[in-house]
Amino acid sequence: TVLVGGLRALCATHDGSSVGVLTSRPGVLSADFFTNVLDIATEWAPADDTGETFVGKDRTSGVQRWTASRVDLVFGSHSVLRALAEVYASSDASEKFAHDFAAAWAKVMDLDRYDLA
């Protein structure tokens, strides 16, 4: 969970697109992804008939804010993932987010390092 949100904020997407980059500060490691995917002021709707890409618009003004994939929006709809997203989206969780991201990143990078055992 923390890796997906952090990598989205860092603009590390599958094809280099802006889909799922839910931050106004792309390239900065932050929990903005979680804050914005859970923002109740954003209304999500399918962008086309495939239902793979969604557009997030401001509920009041109707102005488009974000574009996200189905995978991104699961963090707002799946109960366990939403609970984790709410932890990282909280205003006092930036240090926890950064620590958890670093720990998860190190774990993934060390998975095939049998020489470390």
Side-chain angles (χ1 to χ4, degrees):
T1 298
V2 74
L3 281 177
V4 171
L7 290 172
R8 290 292 204 207
L10 292 172
C11 302
T13 58
H14 159 70
D15 55 1
S17 74
S18 63
V19 174
V21 180
L22 308 180
T23 181
S24 57
R25 305 176 295 161
V28 174
L29 182 62
S30 69
D32 291 352
F33 172 85
F34 299 112
T35 304
N36 292 318
V37 81
L38 299 176
D39 187 358
I40 196 145
T42 303
E43 181 176 17
W44 295 97
D48 54 30
D49 291 336
T50 66
E52 295 298 321
T53 306
F54 294 79
V55 175
K57 295 182 179 180
D58 183 278
R59 287 185 190 273
T60 307
S61 67
V63 174
Q64 182 176 334
R65 289 182 177 173
W66 316 111
T67 305
S69 70
R70 285 176 118 16
V71 173
D72 299 318
L73 297 185
V74 75
F75 290 97
S77 61
H78 186 274
S79 62
V80 175
L81 293 175
R82 183 178 179 97
L84 292 168
E86 286 177 0
V87 168
Y88 294 125
S90 64
S91 61
D92 62 346
S94 59
E95 187 175 333
K96 176 176 178 41
F97 170 78
H99 180 268
D100 290 357
F101 181 86
W105 180 263
K107 184 174 184 175
V108 169
M109 293 296 109
D110 292 342
L111 282 176
D112 67 345
R113 298 282 315 271
Y114 299 109
D115 58 323
L116 296 177

